[in-house]
Short mmCIF file of all heavy atoms in Angstrom, two decimals:
data_model
loop_
_atom_site.label_atom_id
_atom_site.label_comp_id
_atom_site.label_asym_id
_atom_site.label_seq_id
_atom_site.Cartn_x
_atom_site.Cartn_y
_atom_site.Cartn_z
N MET A 1269 -25.25 131.12 -120.03
CA MET A 1269 -24.96 132.52 -119.81
C MET A 1269 -23.84 132.90 -120.78
O MET A 1269 -22.83 132.22 -120.88
CB MET A 1269 -24.55 132.73 -118.35
CG MET A 1269 -24.26 134.16 -118.01
SD MET A 1269 -23.73 134.53 -116.35
CE MET A 1269 -24.73 133.56 -115.31
N SER A 1270 -24.00 134.04 -121.47
CA SER A 1270 -22.97 134.48 -122.43
C SER A 1270 -21.87 135.25 -121.69
O SER A 1270 -22.07 135.76 -120.61
CB SER A 1270 -23.61 135.34 -123.51
OG SER A 1270 -23.87 136.64 -122.98
N PRO A 1271 -20.68 135.35 -122.32
CA PRO A 1271 -19.56 136.05 -121.71
C PRO A 1271 -19.86 137.56 -121.52
O PRO A 1271 -19.29 138.24 -120.71
CB PRO A 1271 -18.40 135.90 -122.68
CG PRO A 1271 -18.77 134.75 -123.56
CD PRO A 1271 -20.28 134.65 -123.51
N GLN A 1272 -20.84 138.06 -122.31
CA GLN A 1272 -21.18 139.50 -122.22
C GLN A 1272 -22.26 139.74 -121.17
O GLN A 1272 -22.68 140.87 -120.94
CB GLN A 1272 -21.71 140.02 -123.56
CG GLN A 1272 -20.65 140.14 -124.63
CD GLN A 1272 -20.37 138.80 -125.31
OE1 GLN A 1272 -21.19 137.92 -125.28
NE2 GLN A 1272 -19.21 138.67 -125.91
N SER A 1273 -22.71 138.70 -120.50
CA SER A 1273 -23.75 138.82 -119.51
C SER A 1273 -23.34 139.75 -118.38
O SER A 1273 -22.20 139.72 -117.92
CB SER A 1273 -24.06 137.46 -118.93
OG SER A 1273 -24.94 137.58 -117.84
N PRO A 1274 -24.22 140.64 -117.94
CA PRO A 1274 -23.85 141.56 -116.86
C PRO A 1274 -23.55 140.86 -115.54
O PRO A 1274 -22.98 141.43 -114.67
CB PRO A 1274 -25.08 142.49 -116.74
CG PRO A 1274 -26.18 141.81 -117.40
CD PRO A 1274 -25.58 140.87 -118.43
N ASN A 1275 -23.99 139.59 -115.43
CA ASN A 1275 -23.75 138.86 -114.18
C ASN A 1275 -22.35 138.27 -114.11
O ASN A 1275 -21.89 137.85 -113.07
CB ASN A 1275 -24.78 137.73 -114.05
CG ASN A 1275 -26.15 138.26 -113.83
OD1 ASN A 1275 -26.33 139.34 -113.28
ND2 ASN A 1275 -27.16 137.55 -114.27
N SER A 1276 -21.65 138.21 -115.27
CA SER A 1276 -20.29 137.69 -115.20
C SER A 1276 -19.32 138.87 -115.32
O SER A 1276 -19.59 139.82 -116.01
CB SER A 1276 -20.05 136.71 -116.33
OG SER A 1276 -20.10 137.35 -117.60
N SER A 1277 -18.25 138.79 -114.63
CA SER A 1277 -17.29 139.89 -114.61
C SER A 1277 -15.87 139.40 -114.63
O SER A 1277 -15.51 138.45 -113.88
CB SER A 1277 -17.50 140.73 -113.36
OG SER A 1277 -16.53 141.73 -113.27
N ASN A 1278 -15.05 139.95 -115.50
CA ASN A 1278 -13.62 139.64 -115.53
C ASN A 1278 -12.83 140.78 -114.91
O ASN A 1278 -11.60 140.75 -114.94
CB ASN A 1278 -13.17 139.46 -116.99
CG ASN A 1278 -13.75 138.19 -117.59
OD1 ASN A 1278 -14.03 137.27 -116.84
ND2 ASN A 1278 -13.91 138.17 -118.87
N ILE A 1279 -13.48 141.73 -114.34
CA ILE A 1279 -12.84 142.87 -113.73
C ILE A 1279 -12.38 142.50 -112.34
O ILE A 1279 -13.18 142.04 -111.52
CB ILE A 1279 -13.75 144.10 -113.68
CG1 ILE A 1279 -14.19 144.49 -115.09
CG2 ILE A 1279 -13.07 145.25 -112.97
CD1 ILE A 1279 -15.28 145.54 -115.13
N SER A 1280 -11.09 142.69 -112.06
CA SER A 1280 -10.60 142.36 -110.71
C SER A 1280 -10.96 143.52 -109.77
O SER A 1280 -11.06 144.66 -110.18
CB SER A 1280 -9.12 142.14 -110.71
OG SER A 1280 -8.43 143.28 -111.11
N THR A 1281 -11.16 143.19 -108.52
CA THR A 1281 -11.47 144.17 -107.54
C THR A 1281 -10.26 144.45 -106.65
O THR A 1281 -9.27 143.73 -106.71
CB THR A 1281 -12.66 143.71 -106.65
OG1 THR A 1281 -12.22 142.54 -105.95
CG2 THR A 1281 -13.87 143.37 -107.49
N ASP A 1282 -10.38 145.43 -105.80
CA ASP A 1282 -9.31 145.71 -104.88
C ASP A 1282 -9.05 144.56 -103.96
O ASP A 1282 -7.95 144.28 -103.54
CB ASP A 1282 -9.60 146.96 -104.05
CG ASP A 1282 -9.51 148.24 -104.86
OD1 ASP A 1282 -8.82 148.24 -105.91
OD2 ASP A 1282 -10.13 149.25 -104.48
N GLN A 1283 -10.11 143.79 -103.62
CA GLN A 1283 -9.96 142.63 -102.78
C GLN A 1283 -9.10 141.59 -103.48
O GLN A 1283 -8.32 140.90 -102.82
CB GLN A 1283 -11.31 142.00 -102.43
CG GLN A 1283 -12.04 142.76 -101.37
CD GLN A 1283 -13.34 142.04 -101.01
OE1 GLN A 1283 -13.90 141.31 -101.82
NE2 GLN A 1283 -13.83 142.30 -99.80
N ASP A 1284 -9.24 141.40 -104.80
CA ASP A 1284 -8.45 140.45 -105.53
C ASP A 1284 -6.96 140.79 -105.45
O ASP A 1284 -6.12 139.90 -105.43
CB ASP A 1284 -8.84 140.42 -107.00
CG ASP A 1284 -10.25 139.94 -107.24
OD1 ASP A 1284 -10.80 139.24 -106.32
OD2 ASP A 1284 -10.84 140.21 -108.30
N ARG A 1285 -6.63 142.07 -105.41
CA ARG A 1285 -5.25 142.51 -105.38
C ARG A 1285 -4.69 142.75 -104.00
O ARG A 1285 -3.60 143.23 -103.82
CB ARG A 1285 -5.08 143.75 -106.25
CG ARG A 1285 -5.21 143.42 -107.72
CD ARG A 1285 -4.97 144.68 -108.54
NE ARG A 1285 -6.30 145.14 -108.99
CZ ARG A 1285 -6.68 146.40 -109.05
NH1 ARG A 1285 -5.84 147.35 -108.75
NH2 ARG A 1285 -7.86 146.70 -109.43
N GLN A 1286 -5.52 142.47 -103.02
CA GLN A 1286 -5.09 142.74 -101.61
C GLN A 1286 -3.83 141.97 -101.32
O GLN A 1286 -3.73 140.77 -101.53
CB GLN A 1286 -6.21 142.31 -100.68
CG GLN A 1286 -6.10 142.90 -99.30
CD GLN A 1286 -7.35 142.64 -98.48
OE1 GLN A 1286 -8.05 141.65 -98.69
NE2 GLN A 1286 -7.63 143.50 -97.55
N GLY A 1287 -2.79 142.71 -100.79
CA GLY A 1287 -1.54 142.07 -100.46
C GLY A 1287 -0.56 142.00 -101.59
O GLY A 1287 0.51 141.49 -101.43
N LYS A 1288 -0.92 142.55 -102.77
CA LYS A 1288 -0.03 142.56 -103.88
C LYS A 1288 0.42 143.98 -104.17
O LYS A 1288 -0.25 144.93 -103.88
CB LYS A 1288 -0.72 141.97 -105.12
CG LYS A 1288 -1.06 140.50 -105.01
CD LYS A 1288 -1.67 140.00 -106.31
CE LYS A 1288 -2.03 138.55 -106.18
NZ LYS A 1288 -2.71 138.10 -107.38
N SER A 1289 1.55 144.08 -104.82
CA SER A 1289 2.08 145.39 -105.26
C SER A 1289 1.10 146.01 -106.27
O SER A 1289 0.58 145.28 -107.11
CB SER A 1289 3.47 145.20 -105.87
OG SER A 1289 3.84 146.34 -106.61
N PRO A 1290 0.90 147.31 -106.21
CA PRO A 1290 0.03 147.97 -107.21
C PRO A 1290 0.55 147.76 -108.62
O PRO A 1290 -0.25 147.61 -109.55
CB PRO A 1290 0.06 149.44 -106.85
CG PRO A 1290 0.57 149.49 -105.43
CD PRO A 1290 1.40 148.25 -105.21
N ALA A 1291 1.84 147.66 -108.81
CA ALA A 1291 2.41 147.45 -110.11
C ALA A 1291 2.13 146.04 -110.65
O ALA A 1291 2.18 145.78 -111.82
CB ALA A 1291 3.90 147.71 -110.11
N ALA A 1292 1.78 145.09 -109.76
CA ALA A 1292 1.48 143.74 -110.15
C ALA A 1292 0.32 143.66 -111.11
O ALA A 1292 0.24 142.75 -111.93
CB ALA A 1292 1.21 142.86 -108.93
N ALA A 1293 -0.55 144.67 -111.08
CA ALA A 1293 -1.67 144.70 -111.99
C ALA A 1293 -1.23 144.84 -113.43
O ALA A 1293 -1.97 144.57 -114.38
CB ALA A 1293 -2.63 145.86 -111.62
N PHE A 1294 0.03 145.25 -113.65
CA PHE A 1294 0.57 145.45 -114.97
C PHE A 1294 1.24 144.19 -115.51
O PHE A 1294 1.79 144.18 -116.60
CB PHE A 1294 1.58 146.61 -115.01
CG PHE A 1294 0.89 147.95 -114.78
CD1 PHE A 1294 0.80 148.46 -113.50
CD2 PHE A 1294 0.35 148.63 -115.85
CE1 PHE A 1294 0.17 149.70 -113.28
CE2 PHE A 1294 -0.26 149.85 -115.64
CZ PHE A 1294 -0.36 150.38 -114.37
N GLY A 1295 1.16 143.09 -114.75
CA GLY A 1295 1.68 141.79 -115.19
C GLY A 1295 3.15 141.84 -115.59
O GLY A 1295 4.00 142.29 -114.80
N ALA A 1296 3.42 141.36 -116.77
CA ALA A 1296 4.81 141.28 -117.25
C ALA A 1296 5.47 142.65 -117.42
O ALA A 1296 6.70 142.72 -117.54
CB ALA A 1296 4.84 140.50 -118.56
N ASN A 1297 4.67 143.71 -117.43
CA ASN A 1297 5.22 145.06 -117.56
C ASN A 1297 5.48 145.73 -116.27
O ASN A 1297 5.72 146.94 -116.21
CB ASN A 1297 4.28 145.91 -118.43
CG ASN A 1297 4.19 145.41 -119.87
OD1 ASN A 1297 5.21 144.98 -120.43
ND2 ASN A 1297 3.05 145.47 -120.44
N GLU A 1298 5.44 144.99 -115.17
CA GLU A 1298 5.70 145.54 -113.85
C GLU A 1298 7.03 146.26 -113.79
O GLU A 1298 7.20 147.29 -113.15
CB GLU A 1298 5.60 144.44 -112.79
CG GLU A 1298 5.71 144.94 -111.39
CD GLU A 1298 5.48 143.83 -110.37
OE1 GLU A 1298 5.07 142.74 -110.77
OE2 GLU A 1298 5.70 144.07 -109.18
N TRP A 1299 8.04 145.70 -114.45
CA TRP A 1299 9.36 146.29 -114.48
C TRP A 1299 9.34 147.69 -115.10
O TRP A 1299 10.04 148.60 -114.65
CB TRP A 1299 10.34 145.41 -115.25
CG TRP A 1299 10.02 145.35 -116.74
CD1 TRP A 1299 9.19 144.44 -117.36
CD2 TRP A 1299 10.44 146.25 -117.78
NE1 TRP A 1299 9.07 144.71 -118.70
CE2 TRP A 1299 9.87 145.84 -118.98
CE3 TRP A 1299 11.28 147.34 -117.79
CZ2 TRP A 1299 10.06 146.47 -120.20
CZ3 TRP A 1299 11.50 147.99 -119.00
CH2 TRP A 1299 10.89 147.56 -120.18
N LEU A 1300 8.47 147.88 -116.09
CA LEU A 1300 8.35 149.18 -116.76
C LEU A 1300 7.78 150.21 -115.82
O LEU A 1300 8.20 151.39 -115.78
CB LEU A 1300 7.51 149.07 -118.02
CG LEU A 1300 7.33 150.34 -118.83
CD1 LEU A 1300 8.69 150.89 -119.30
CD2 LEU A 1300 6.43 150.05 -120.03
N VAL A 1301 6.80 149.80 -115.02
CA VAL A 1301 6.20 150.70 -114.01
C VAL A 1301 7.29 151.17 -113.05
O VAL A 1301 7.37 152.38 -112.75
CB VAL A 1301 5.05 150.01 -113.27
CG1 VAL A 1301 4.50 150.92 -112.16
CG2 VAL A 1301 3.92 149.62 -114.22
N ASP A 1302 8.12 150.26 -112.57
CA ASP A 1302 9.19 150.63 -111.67
C ASP A 1302 10.19 151.55 -112.33
O ASP A 1302 10.67 152.51 -111.68
CB ASP A 1302 9.91 149.39 -111.11
CG ASP A 1302 9.02 148.55 -110.16
OD1 ASP A 1302 8.17 149.22 -109.49
OD2 ASP A 1302 9.20 147.36 -110.07
N GLU A 1303 10.46 151.33 -113.61
CA GLU A 1303 11.38 152.19 -114.33
C GLU A 1303 10.84 153.59 -114.46
O GLU A 1303 11.53 154.59 -114.28
CB GLU A 1303 11.67 151.57 -115.70
CG GLU A 1303 12.92 152.09 -116.32
CD GLU A 1303 13.29 151.24 -117.54
OE1 GLU A 1303 13.77 150.11 -117.36
OE2 GLU A 1303 13.11 151.72 -118.67
N ILE A 1304 9.52 153.69 -114.85
CA ILE A 1304 8.87 154.99 -114.98
C ILE A 1304 8.83 155.68 -113.61
O ILE A 1304 8.99 156.91 -113.54
CB ILE A 1304 7.45 154.85 -115.59
CG1 ILE A 1304 7.59 154.32 -117.01
CG2 ILE A 1304 6.70 156.15 -115.57
CD1 ILE A 1304 6.26 153.93 -117.65
N TYR A 1305 8.61 154.93 -112.54
CA TYR A 1305 8.56 155.49 -111.22
C TYR A 1305 9.90 156.14 -110.84
O TYR A 1305 9.93 157.22 -110.25
CB TYR A 1305 8.16 154.43 -110.19
CG TYR A 1305 8.06 154.95 -108.78
CD1 TYR A 1305 7.11 155.90 -108.45
CD2 TYR A 1305 8.93 154.51 -107.77
CE1 TYR A 1305 6.99 156.41 -107.14
CE2 TYR A 1305 8.82 155.00 -106.49
CZ TYR A 1305 7.85 155.97 -106.17
OH TYR A 1305 7.76 156.41 -104.88
N GLN A 1306 10.99 155.46 -111.15
CA GLN A 1306 12.32 156.02 -110.87
C GLN A 1306 12.53 157.32 -111.60
O GLN A 1306 13.05 158.29 -111.10
CB GLN A 1306 13.43 155.01 -111.23
CG GLN A 1306 13.44 153.79 -110.33
CD GLN A 1306 13.55 154.16 -108.88
OE1 GLN A 1306 14.39 154.98 -108.46
NE2 GLN A 1306 12.78 153.51 -108.00
N GLN A 1307 12.06 157.36 -112.86
CA GLN A 1307 12.13 158.58 -113.67
C GLN A 1307 11.27 159.68 -113.03
O GLN A 1307 11.64 160.81 -112.97
CB GLN A 1307 11.67 158.27 -115.08
CG GLN A 1307 11.86 159.40 -116.06
CD GLN A 1307 11.49 159.01 -117.49
OE1 GLN A 1307 11.34 157.81 -117.78
NE2 GLN A 1307 11.35 159.96 -118.33
N TYR A 1308 10.08 159.29 -112.54
CA TYR A 1308 9.15 160.21 -111.93
C TYR A 1308 9.79 160.83 -110.67
O TYR A 1308 9.64 162.02 -110.38
CB TYR A 1308 7.85 159.48 -111.56
CG TYR A 1308 6.91 160.24 -110.65
CD1 TYR A 1308 6.04 161.21 -111.18
CD2 TYR A 1308 6.84 159.99 -109.29
CE1 TYR A 1308 5.17 161.88 -110.35
CE2 TYR A 1308 5.98 160.65 -108.47
CZ TYR A 1308 5.14 161.62 -108.99
OH TYR A 1308 4.27 162.28 -108.18
N LEU A 1309 10.49 160.01 -109.90
CA LEU A 1309 11.12 160.53 -108.67
C LEU A 1309 12.18 161.56 -108.98
O LEU A 1309 12.36 162.52 -108.24
CB LEU A 1309 11.76 159.37 -107.89
CG LEU A 1309 10.80 158.40 -107.21
CD1 LEU A 1309 11.59 157.26 -106.58
CD2 LEU A 1309 9.95 159.10 -106.19
N GLN A 1310 12.92 161.37 -110.09
CA GLN A 1310 13.95 162.30 -110.45
C GLN A 1310 13.39 163.59 -111.00
O GLN A 1310 13.87 164.68 -110.74
CB GLN A 1310 14.90 161.68 -111.47
CG GLN A 1310 15.74 160.55 -110.88
CD GLN A 1310 16.61 159.90 -111.90
OE1 GLN A 1310 16.69 160.29 -113.06
NE2 GLN A 1310 17.28 158.83 -111.50
N ASP A 1311 12.31 163.48 -111.84
CA ASP A 1311 11.69 164.65 -112.44
C ASP A 1311 10.27 164.31 -112.85
O ASP A 1311 10.07 163.72 -113.90
CB ASP A 1311 12.50 165.09 -113.67
CG ASP A 1311 11.90 166.30 -114.37
OD1 ASP A 1311 10.97 166.96 -113.77
OD2 ASP A 1311 12.29 166.60 -115.47
N PRO A 1312 9.29 164.64 -112.01
CA PRO A 1312 7.90 164.30 -112.33
C PRO A 1312 7.42 164.79 -113.67
O PRO A 1312 6.64 164.17 -114.36
CB PRO A 1312 7.09 164.97 -111.21
CG PRO A 1312 8.05 165.06 -110.08
CD PRO A 1312 9.40 165.31 -110.70
N ASN A 1313 7.98 165.92 -114.13
CA ASN A 1313 7.56 166.46 -115.43
C ASN A 1313 8.08 165.64 -116.60
O ASN A 1313 7.65 165.84 -117.73
CB ASN A 1313 8.04 167.88 -115.58
CG ASN A 1313 7.28 168.83 -114.63
OD1 ASN A 1313 6.08 168.74 -114.54
ND2 ASN A 1313 8.01 169.65 -113.93
N SER A 1314 8.96 164.70 -116.35
CA SER A 1314 9.52 163.87 -117.42
C SER A 1314 8.62 162.69 -117.78
O SER A 1314 8.90 161.98 -118.75
CB SER A 1314 10.95 163.36 -117.07
OG SER A 1314 10.85 162.42 -116.00
N VAL A 1315 7.56 162.46 -116.98
CA VAL A 1315 6.64 161.38 -117.30
C VAL A 1315 5.25 161.98 -117.55
O VAL A 1315 4.93 163.08 -117.08
CB VAL A 1315 6.55 160.32 -116.13
CG1 VAL A 1315 7.89 159.69 -115.89
CG2 VAL A 1315 5.98 160.90 -114.87
N ASP A 1316 4.45 161.24 -118.27
CA ASP A 1316 3.09 161.70 -118.60
C ASP A 1316 2.29 161.93 -117.32
O ASP A 1316 2.36 161.19 -116.33
CB ASP A 1316 2.39 160.62 -119.43
CG ASP A 1316 1.12 161.10 -120.04
OD1 ASP A 1316 0.17 161.36 -119.30
OD2 ASP A 1316 1.07 161.19 -121.29
N ARG A 1317 1.53 163.01 -117.31
CA ARG A 1317 0.74 163.40 -116.13
C ARG A 1317 -0.25 162.26 -115.72
O ARG A 1317 -0.69 162.21 -114.57
CB ARG A 1317 -0.08 164.65 -116.40
CG ARG A 1317 0.75 165.89 -116.31
CD ARG A 1317 -0.15 167.13 -116.48
NE ARG A 1317 0.47 168.33 -115.98
CZ ARG A 1317 0.42 168.73 -114.72
NH1 ARG A 1317 -0.22 167.99 -113.83
NH2 ARG A 1317 1.01 169.85 -114.33
N ALA A 1318 -0.59 161.39 -116.63
CA ALA A 1318 -1.49 160.28 -116.33
C ALA A 1318 -0.92 159.39 -115.21
O ALA A 1318 -1.68 158.75 -114.51
CB ALA A 1318 -1.78 159.47 -117.57
N TRP A 1319 0.40 159.36 -115.08
CA TRP A 1319 1.05 158.54 -114.04
C TRP A 1319 1.06 159.22 -112.68
O TRP A 1319 1.26 158.56 -111.67
CB TRP A 1319 2.50 158.23 -114.44
CG TRP A 1319 2.58 157.21 -115.52
CD1 TRP A 1319 2.86 157.43 -116.82
CD2 TRP A 1319 2.46 155.80 -115.37
NE1 TRP A 1319 2.89 156.24 -117.51
CE2 TRP A 1319 2.64 155.23 -116.65
CE3 TRP A 1319 2.19 154.96 -114.30
CZ2 TRP A 1319 2.59 153.87 -116.84
CZ3 TRP A 1319 2.12 153.60 -114.49
CH2 TRP A 1319 2.31 153.07 -115.77
N TRP A 1320 0.90 160.52 -112.64
CA TRP A 1320 1.05 161.25 -111.35
C TRP A 1320 0.13 160.77 -110.28
O TRP A 1320 0.57 160.61 -109.13
CB TRP A 1320 0.90 162.75 -111.60
CG TRP A 1320 2.01 163.38 -112.39
CD1 TRP A 1320 2.94 162.74 -113.16
CD2 TRP A 1320 2.28 164.76 -112.50
NE1 TRP A 1320 3.77 163.65 -113.74
CE2 TRP A 1320 3.40 164.90 -113.38
CE3 TRP A 1320 1.72 165.90 -111.98
CZ2 TRP A 1320 3.96 166.13 -113.68
CZ3 TRP A 1320 2.24 167.13 -112.31
CH2 TRP A 1320 3.37 167.25 -113.14
N ASP A 1321 -1.14 160.53 -110.58
CA ASP A 1321 -2.07 160.04 -109.55
C ASP A 1321 -1.70 158.64 -109.09
O ASP A 1321 -1.76 158.33 -107.91
CB ASP A 1321 -3.51 160.01 -110.07
CG ASP A 1321 -4.11 161.43 -110.18
OD1 ASP A 1321 -3.62 162.36 -109.48
OD2 ASP A 1321 -5.08 161.59 -110.93
N PHE A 1322 -1.26 157.82 -110.01
CA PHE A 1322 -0.87 156.45 -109.68
C PHE A 1322 0.34 156.45 -108.75
O PHE A 1322 0.40 155.73 -107.76
CB PHE A 1322 -0.53 155.64 -110.92
CG PHE A 1322 -0.10 154.25 -110.66
CD1 PHE A 1322 -1.03 153.24 -110.44
CD2 PHE A 1322 1.22 153.89 -110.64
CE1 PHE A 1322 -0.65 151.94 -110.16
CE2 PHE A 1322 1.64 152.59 -110.41
CZ PHE A 1322 0.73 151.64 -110.12
N PHE A 1323 1.30 157.30 -109.06
CA PHE A 1323 2.56 157.36 -108.25
C PHE A 1323 2.40 158.15 -106.96
O PHE A 1323 3.24 158.06 -106.08
CB PHE A 1323 3.69 157.95 -109.05
CG PHE A 1323 4.18 157.01 -110.17
CD1 PHE A 1323 4.55 157.56 -111.38
CD2 PHE A 1323 4.29 155.64 -109.97
CE1 PHE A 1323 5.01 156.69 -112.42
CE2 PHE A 1323 4.70 154.80 -110.98
CZ PHE A 1323 5.08 155.35 -112.22
N ALA A 1324 1.31 158.92 -106.79
CA ALA A 1324 1.12 159.74 -105.59
C ALA A 1324 1.16 158.88 -104.33
O ALA A 1324 1.69 159.28 -103.32
CB ALA A 1324 -0.20 160.48 -105.70
N ASP A 1325 0.60 157.65 -104.39
CA ASP A 1325 0.60 156.79 -103.20
C ASP A 1325 1.23 155.43 -103.50
O ASP A 1325 1.06 154.46 -102.80
CB ASP A 1325 -0.81 156.59 -102.66
CG ASP A 1325 -1.77 155.96 -103.70
OD1 ASP A 1325 -1.37 155.77 -104.86
OD2 ASP A 1325 -2.90 155.66 -103.31
N TYR A 1326 2.04 155.39 -104.55
CA TYR A 1326 2.69 154.14 -104.99
C TYR A 1326 3.89 153.87 -104.05
O TYR A 1326 4.67 154.72 -103.73
CB TYR A 1326 3.21 154.30 -106.43
CG TYR A 1326 3.98 153.09 -106.94
CD1 TYR A 1326 3.30 151.89 -107.14
CD2 TYR A 1326 5.28 153.19 -107.28
CE1 TYR A 1326 3.96 150.78 -107.66
CE2 TYR A 1326 5.97 152.11 -107.78
CZ TYR A 1326 5.32 150.92 -107.97
OH TYR A 1326 5.99 149.83 -108.47
N LYS A 1327 3.96 152.60 -103.62
CA LYS A 1327 5.08 152.17 -102.75
C LYS A 1327 5.72 150.96 -103.41
O LYS A 1327 5.20 149.85 -103.29
CB LYS A 1327 4.54 151.75 -101.37
CG LYS A 1327 3.76 152.81 -100.65
CD LYS A 1327 4.67 153.84 -99.95
CE LYS A 1327 3.92 154.77 -99.12
NZ LYS A 1327 3.39 155.93 -99.75
N PRO A 1328 6.77 151.17 -104.18
CA PRO A 1328 7.41 150.05 -104.89
C PRO A 1328 7.93 149.01 -103.88
O PRO A 1328 8.43 149.37 -102.82
CB PRO A 1328 8.54 150.69 -105.66
CG PRO A 1328 8.85 151.97 -104.93
CD PRO A 1328 7.53 152.39 -104.34
N GLY A 1329 7.75 147.75 -104.25
CA GLY A 1329 8.25 146.68 -103.39
C GLY A 1329 7.51 146.53 -102.12
O GLY A 1329 8.00 145.92 -101.17
N ALA A 1330 6.27 147.03 -102.05
CA ALA A 1330 5.49 146.95 -100.83
C ALA A 1330 5.29 145.50 -100.40
O ALA A 1330 5.33 145.17 -99.24
CB ALA A 1330 4.15 147.62 -100.98
N THR A 1331 5.12 144.62 -101.38
CA THR A 1331 5.01 143.20 -101.10
C THR A 1331 5.87 142.47 -102.10
O THR A 1331 5.49 142.22 -103.23
CB THR A 1331 3.56 142.70 -101.19
OG1 THR A 1331 3.06 142.97 -102.48
CG2 THR A 1331 2.66 143.32 -100.17
N ALA A 1332 7.09 142.16 -101.71
CA ALA A 1332 8.04 141.52 -102.61
C ALA A 1332 7.77 140.01 -102.64
O ALA A 1332 7.24 139.42 -101.67
CB ALA A 1332 9.46 141.77 -102.15
N ALA A 1333 8.15 139.40 -103.71
CA ALA A 1333 8.06 137.95 -103.83
C ALA A 1333 9.03 137.31 -102.85
O ALA A 1333 10.04 137.90 -102.49
CB ALA A 1333 8.41 137.53 -105.24
N PRO A 1334 8.72 136.09 -102.38
CA PRO A 1334 9.63 135.43 -101.41
C PRO A 1334 11.04 135.34 -102.01
O PRO A 1334 11.24 135.05 -103.17
CB PRO A 1334 9.00 134.02 -101.28
CG PRO A 1334 7.61 134.19 -101.67
CD PRO A 1334 7.56 135.29 -102.70
N GLY A 1335 12.00 135.67 -101.17
CA GLY A 1335 13.39 135.63 -101.59
C GLY A 1335 13.85 136.94 -102.26
O GLY A 1335 15.02 137.08 -102.58
N GLN A 1336 12.91 137.87 -102.47
CA GLN A 1336 13.27 139.18 -103.09
C GLN A 1336 13.30 140.24 -102.02
O GLN A 1336 12.48 140.23 -101.10
CB GLN A 1336 12.23 139.53 -104.15
CG GLN A 1336 12.14 138.61 -105.32
CD GLN A 1336 13.42 138.62 -106.17
OE1 GLN A 1336 14.00 139.71 -106.33
NE2 GLN A 1336 13.87 137.50 -106.64
N PRO A 1337 14.21 141.20 -102.11
CA PRO A 1337 14.26 142.29 -101.15
C PRO A 1337 13.01 143.17 -101.30
O PRO A 1337 12.48 143.32 -102.41
CB PRO A 1337 15.52 143.08 -101.49
CG PRO A 1337 15.84 142.68 -102.89
CD PRO A 1337 15.27 141.30 -103.08
N ALA A 1338 12.53 143.69 -100.20
CA ALA A 1338 11.31 144.53 -100.24
C ALA A 1338 11.59 145.86 -100.88
O ALA A 1338 10.75 146.48 -101.48
CB ALA A 1338 10.77 144.74 -98.82
N GLU A 1339 12.83 146.37 -100.78
CA GLU A 1339 13.20 147.63 -101.38
C GLU A 1339 14.59 147.49 -102.05
O GLU A 1339 15.29 146.57 -101.76
CB GLU A 1339 13.27 148.72 -100.30
CG GLU A 1339 11.91 149.00 -99.69
CD GLU A 1339 12.02 150.12 -98.65
OE1 GLU A 1339 12.98 150.90 -98.70
OE2 GLU A 1339 11.16 150.18 -97.78
N GLY A 1340 14.86 148.41 -102.93
CA GLY A 1340 16.16 148.40 -103.59
C GLY A 1340 17.27 148.75 -102.61
O GLY A 1340 17.05 149.05 -101.45
N PRO A 1341 18.50 148.73 -103.07
CA PRO A 1341 19.63 149.05 -102.20
C PRO A 1341 19.57 150.48 -101.75
O PRO A 1341 19.02 151.35 -102.42
CB PRO A 1341 20.86 148.82 -103.10
CG PRO A 1341 20.34 148.75 -104.51
CD PRO A 1341 18.88 148.42 -104.43
N ALA A 1342 20.08 150.75 -100.59
CA ALA A 1342 20.09 152.07 -100.02
C ALA A 1342 20.98 152.99 -100.82
O ALA A 1342 22.00 152.58 -101.33
CB ALA A 1342 20.58 152.03 -98.55
N PRO A 1343 20.56 154.25 -101.03
CA PRO A 1343 21.43 155.20 -101.75
C PRO A 1343 22.78 155.42 -101.05
O PRO A 1343 22.81 155.39 -99.82
CB PRO A 1343 20.60 156.49 -101.76
CG PRO A 1343 19.26 156.14 -101.26
CD PRO A 1343 19.36 154.84 -100.53
N VAL A 1344 23.76 155.67 -101.81
CA VAL A 1344 25.08 155.86 -101.24
C VAL A 1344 25.36 157.31 -101.00
O VAL A 1344 24.98 158.18 -101.69
CB VAL A 1344 26.19 155.29 -102.21
CG1 VAL A 1344 27.53 155.53 -101.65
CG2 VAL A 1344 25.89 153.83 -102.43
#
């Protein structure tokens, strides 16, 4: 079977990512997603509209790695 065969798929499904942060799909660039999200929270117009749908239901730190806090520090 060739890699281009319609029977083989490298596309991950929602089941594959179940229990993981949505930003985890960005791999090593997960930090950038969080940074853009912070910018989005301050001023949605400051980020590209392509991010708006993604951030509409984005919950940063929804599933943190063991030993990591689930959310950032509380605002002062």
Side-chain angles (χ1 to χ4, degrees):
M1269 183 182 317
S1270 77
Q1272 290 82 20
S1273 172
N1275 293 331
S1276 66
S1277 175
N1278 291 333
I1279 300 171
S1280 63
T1281 64
D1282 288 338
Q1283 282 184 336
D1284 294 340
R1285 287 184 258 142
Q1286 196 170 29
K1288 294 183 182 176
S1289 166
F1294 292 93
N1297 293 323
E1298 186 174 350
W1299 66 270
L1300 182 58
V1301 175
D1302 289 331
E1303 200 169 285
I1304 294 171
Y1305 181 65
Q1306 292 304 314
Q1307 187 176 346
Y1308 169 82
L1309 289 176
Q1310 292 177 5
D1311 180 12
N1313 291 314
S1314 69
V1315 301
D1316 191 293
R1317 283 183 159 275
W1319 286 103
W1320 291 16
D1321 286 339
F1322 180 81
F1323 290 141
D1325 60 354
Y1326 179 66
K1327 304 280 188 272
T1331 57
Q1336 297 292 323
E1339 295 182 20
V1344 178

